[in-house]
Amino acid sequence: MYLDRKPHDQRGAGLPVALFIITVLALLVLGMSQLQQSTSESVSLQVQSQRAFFAAESGAQIGVGRILADPDNPQCFSESIEFSEAGLVTCRAEITCSVSTGGEIFTLTSEGYCGSGFDEASRTVEVRVR
């Protein structure tokens, strides 16, 4: 009968199984937290990259407007623009301009930068104006 057994005769696998399950669950939680952290960092970099593109695009639009401000005497220029508008705060655009040998085609290169350190992103937009 089962009642005749003494406690020291009973052997089970309960403790090793419980330790195994706890270890597996701990590893799963650790893996999921690292995956969530890397996903959030990726989203942050995507946002910074998009903001840098908008800064570069804005710089190019400002440059085209300045070149076309005087259509009879267009002038090439280079400058750095710091944005203070919502959405582009901490972003800047570096605008450089070059003129073709005939003097008819202006090439504007606008480089947008947003963020700093690990989160810094940059994008470049090039525009030709005739």
Side-chain angles (χ1 to χ4, degrees), residues 45 48-56 92 110-115 119-125:
L45 287 175
Q48 289 292 62
S49 180
Q50 191 68 31
R51 291 177 67 220
F53 172 75
F54 288 140
R92 72 182 192 285
S110 176
E111 296 181 43
Y113 300 95
C114 286
D119 287 335
E120 184 176 26
S122 66
R123 292 287 191 193
T124 302
V125 173

Side-chain angles (χ1 to χ4, degrees), residues 1-6:
M1 275 187 110
Y2 293 112
L3 298 175
D4 292 341
R5 289 187 178 195
K6 297 177 184 168

Side-chain angles (χ1 to χ4, degrees), residues 56-70:
E57 183 76 18
S58 298
Q61 290 176 4
I62 290 169
V64 169
R66 290 193 182 159
I67 288 176
L68 297 178
D70 185 8

Side-chain angles (χ1 to χ4, degrees), residues 7-29:
H8 66 276
D9 290 338
Q10 296 180 4
R11 299 184 198 256
L15 183 60
V17 170
L19 288 174
F20 177 75
I21 290 173
I22 290 171
T23 304
V24 169
L25 288 177
L27 290 173
L28 280 172
V29 168

Side-chain angles (χ1 to χ4, degrees), residues 63-78:
V64 169
R66 290 193 182 159
I67 288 176
L68 297 178
D70 185 8
D72 296 330
N73 187 24
Q75 298 293 318
C76 204
F77 70 97
S78 296

